Amino acid sequence: MVSLSSLSSSFSTFLFPAQGHLHYSVPKRSTTLQYFTNKPLSVTSLQSPEPGPEVSPEVRTFWKWLQDEGVVSAKTPARPAVVPEGLGLVAQRDIGRNQVVLEVPKRLWINPDAVAESEIGNVCSGLKPWIAVALFLLREKDREDSKWRLYFDVLPLSTNSTVFWSEEELSELQEEVILPNKRLFPSPITLDDFFWVFGILRSRAFSRLRNQNLVLIPGVDLINHSSKVTTEDHAHEVKGPAGLFSWDYLFSLRSPLSIKAGEQVFIQYDINKSNAEFALDYGFIDSLMDRNAYTLTLGISESDPFFGDKLDIAESNGWGETANFDIFLNRPLPPGMLTYLRLVALGGTDAFILETIFRNSVWGHLELPMSRANEELICRVVRDACKSALSGYSTTIEEDEKLKGEELDPRLEIAVGIRQGEKKVLQQIDEIFKERELELDVLEYYQERRLKDLGLCGEQGEIIFWEPK
């Protein structure tokens, strides 16, 4: 039996292992980051070291704070400006590819190290980094004397992220960490507070930096995403002067593209994320069609008479009882998907391949078609799963297209864009396996390959009989 369940995306909570699936209804939060458009930039000043007059007083005060901290100066090549996404960094002069745009010393970073050195370091020591930094943000945001007070003033009040927490998870965090240490945390901490802090972290934190898996960098996080940037090589951790008499690590932001004065500086947030993940993390979706994706979850049924053997083979080859495969629009099927499908569908006369004698070679055999019956089964079940998933949507692709042509609330625009992309991917999957069904009679299967290896089958598939001498 082939067990297939379809997911829009999988979501791992920050405190506990994943416990459910992410559902794409209209998101419940808003953000200053909006869907990318090609509207002209609004820039009133290209020479002044100060932000242009179109930005808010809070942004101007925040930039002055960075000046006072020695982070920016008249030589800094970019300034905050109002852009289609909300706020962004705009070049004050031509910036070459890989040229430094902004450098921020480690003393201004918000990361697990900052938490550990703070008053709440001890009570957060056993938590995951995301949780510890989140609690640190909530505490610092509530303090009038916080070092980052002016930074918090320019952060958005909410995001369009589809992130959510369950009531159980929040209750456990409150009971284990917050309530026993009331003097360290603002009171009360509400559900909206948690939505805000994780929306901020998901949308603004940098990762994959040397020795830093999670870090907020004031000023640098104003930079926006563009699909025109095809490399993620923009952030560097370097040793440099952090003050008049001291040296410290600097977060060095470099432009991945050569840009002209007056143009906005962009980076690539993540090359490999789907639009569903972009909505979850950043609260917007990318304009590229190949960001559209759908996740198929394949599983070995516990009622399968060969469950133990199949599970052993799967685990021996880096898989498990279930496997998630992210399928992107206009891209080939993910590596290993067909092989795993053939394993899940094995049965009948094909089950001999599960014997111990084949255990070390069975995965290699399944990388090619096993039998017509096996291949036909996986085609039929996958196509049925796609049709079932498509029937679950309340609109068609054409109806979604008409909606996208209207003036939509940003949250609804995200939801429509994601579901339309998912439907296109489902149609693509169905078409792939439909074409495969038409090839069933011409595919080469295990028995034919085996006979050829033994010299008992000709190139045209005819069986060769050897007469005894």
Side-chain angles (χ1 to χ4, degrees):
M1 174 181 178
V2 181
S3 174
L4 294 173
S5 61
S6 54
L7 303 177
S8 296
S9 176
S10 58
F11 170 70
S12 297
T13 64
F14 302 107
L15 185 60
F16 304 106
Q19 297 178 346
H21 303 153
L22 180 64
H23 301 283
Y24 288 108
S25 57
V26 178
K28 299 181 179 179
R29 296 292 179 267
S30 60
T31 183
T32 57
L33 285 176
Q34 304 296 336
Y35 181 75
F36 177 76
T37 63
N38 290 317
K39 296 178 183 178
L41 301 177
S42 172
V43 183
T44 58
S45 173
L46 297 180
Q47 303 301 326
S48 170
E50 302 291 335
E54 77 280 4
V55 300
S56 68
E58 290 79 10
V59 173
R60 296 175 64 82
T61 303
F62 164 67
W63 201 250
K64 176 64 166 57
W65 171 66
L66 289 181
Q67 287 181 289
D68 293 342
E69 293 288 342
V71 175
V72 301
S73 68
K75 296 181 180 180
T76 302
R79 297 286 184 272
V82 174
V83 294
E85 297 83 358
L87 275 177
L89 292 177
V90 171
Q92 302 299 289
R93 59 176 182 269
D94 292 358
I95 298 176
R97 181 177 179 274
N98 207 36
Q99 182 178 336
V100 173
V101 177
L102 203 58
E103 289 185 329
V104 180
K106 192 174 183 179
R107 58 187 167 82
L108 298 183
W109 301 0
I110 300 176
N111 62 356
D113 290 341
V115 180
E117 295 169 3
S118 74
E119 192 176 2
I120 66 170
N122 290 335
V123 300
C124 293
S125 61
L127 299 176
K128 293 183 179 180
W130 281 94
I131 297 294
V133 175
L135 293 175
F136 180 78
L137 283 178
L138 287 173
R139 181 176 184 270
E140 291 296 308
K141 183 174 181 287
D142 192 59
R143 293 177 56 192
E144 289 298 326
D145 62 344
S146 172
K147 179 196 300 186
W148 296 276
R149 175 75 268 157
L150 299 178
Y151 171 58
F152 294 135
D153 289 343
V154 301
L155 293 178
L157 298 178
S158 56
T159 77
N160 271 338
S161 170
T162 52
V163 66
F164 68 92
W165 277 65
S166 72
E167 293 291 343
E168 293 77 14
E169 291 165 345
L170 293 176
S171 296
E172 184 165 339
L173 182 59
Q174 293 265 18
E175 291 174 5
E176 292 187 359
V177 179
I178 297 172
L179 293 179
N181 301 281
K182 288 183 179 180
R183 67 179 182 84
L184 298 177
F185 296 100
S187 181
I189 295 179
T190 66
L191 183 62
D192 283 341
D193 292 329
F194 281 105
F195 274 119
W196 175 81
V197 73
F198 281 100
I200 291 296
L201 287 176
R202 297 288 297 210
S203 63
R204 307 179 84 87
F206 287 83
S207 61
R208 297 187 303 276
L209 190 64
R210 186 181 64 186
N211 301 323
Q212 299 291 329
N213 291 324
L214 173 66
V215 56
L216 278 175
I217 311 290
V220 174
D221 62 349
L222 292 177
I223 197 160
N224 290 312
H225 163 86
S226 173
S227 58
K228 295 179 180 179
V229 181
T230 58
T231 175
E232 295 179 19
D233 185 25
H234 55 259
H236 302 268
E237 183 181 335
V238 297
K239 190 76 171 178
L244 188 60
F245 302 107
S246 64
W247 284 70
D248 196 2
Y249 282 110
L250 300 174
F251 183 101
S252 180
L253 175 70
R254 301 171 186 269
S255 175
L257 301 176
S258 296
I259 56 176
K260 298 294 184 182
E263 295 179 343
Q264 187 177 176
V265 185
F266 290 108
I267 61 173
Q268 168 63 240
Y269 282 3
D270 197 308
I271 291 175
N272 297 314
K273 284 184 177 177
S274 67
N275 262 338
E277 292 170 312
F278 257 65
L280 174 65
D281 287 347
Y282 310 120
F284 69 96
I285 56 178
D286 196 286
S287 59
L288 288 180
M289 290 299 293
D290 60 5
R291 289 279 189 187
N292 295 318
Y294 200 90
T295 301
L296 283 182
T297 298
L298 313 178
I300 305 169
S301 172
E302 291 186 0
S303 62
D304 191 316
F306 306 106
F307 174 78
D309 291 323
K310 291 182 179 180
L311 180 59
D312 180 56
I313 293 168
E315 291 178 341
S316 297
N317 290 277
W319 303 90
E321 184 177 344
T322 61
N324 295 324
F325 294 93
D326 297 326
I327 303 169
F328 286 80
L329 191 65
N330 301 326
R331 299 191 205 175
L333 294 176
M337 178 176 163
L338 282 175
T339 308
Y340 190 91
L341 268 170
R342 292 179 184 123
L343 174 67
V344 172
L346 271 177
T349 58
D350 293 331
F352 74 90
I353 202 73
L354 298 174
E355 296 291 339
T356 305
I357 191 175
F358 295 103
R359 194 54 51 97
N360 294 331
S361 60
V362 61
W363 194 259
H365 289 307
L366 293 176
E367 289 178 345
L368 298 170
M370 183 65 193
S371 70
R372 194 186 194 285
N374 181 268
E375 207 73 9
E376 185 176 21
L377 177 59
I378 65 175
C379 289
R380 185 175 73 248
V381 174
V382 170
R383 294 197 65 196
D384 287 346
C386 290
K387 290 182 175 66
S388 176
L390 284 166
S391 69
Y393 290 97
S394 60
T395 59
T396 64
I397 291 179
E398 292 72 25
E399 289 170 335
D400 287 339
E401 196 62 40
K402 290 180 181 178
L403 281 174
K404 288 173 66 176
E406 301 175 3
E407 289 293 328
L408 298 178
D409 177 272
R411 304 169 186 175
L412 180 57
E413 184 178 33
I414 290 171
V416 171
I418 291 174
R419 78 185 184 204
Q420 184 187 47
E422 289 176 346
K423 282 180 270 192
K424 289 181 178 180
V425 177
L426 283 167
Q427 287 185 342
Q428 172 181 287
I429 299 169
D430 180 66
E431 188 62 31
I432 289 173
F433 283 90
K434 178 182 177 180
E435 293 178 0
R436 196 160 191 84
E437 283 180 325
L438 299 176
E439 300 172 350
L440 292 176
D441 289 334
V442 297
L443 293 176
E444 184 179 78
Y445 301 107
Y446 173 83
Q447 295 291 2
E448 185 178 345
R449 294 195 300 273
R450 182 60 177 156
L451 288 172
K452 282 185 177 180
D453 290 342
L454 296 173
L456 300 177
C457 185
E459 290 299 323
Q460 303 301 318
E462 72 279 8
I463 297 178
I464 300 173
F465 295 94
W466 299 94
E467 295 181 2
K469 295 183 179 179

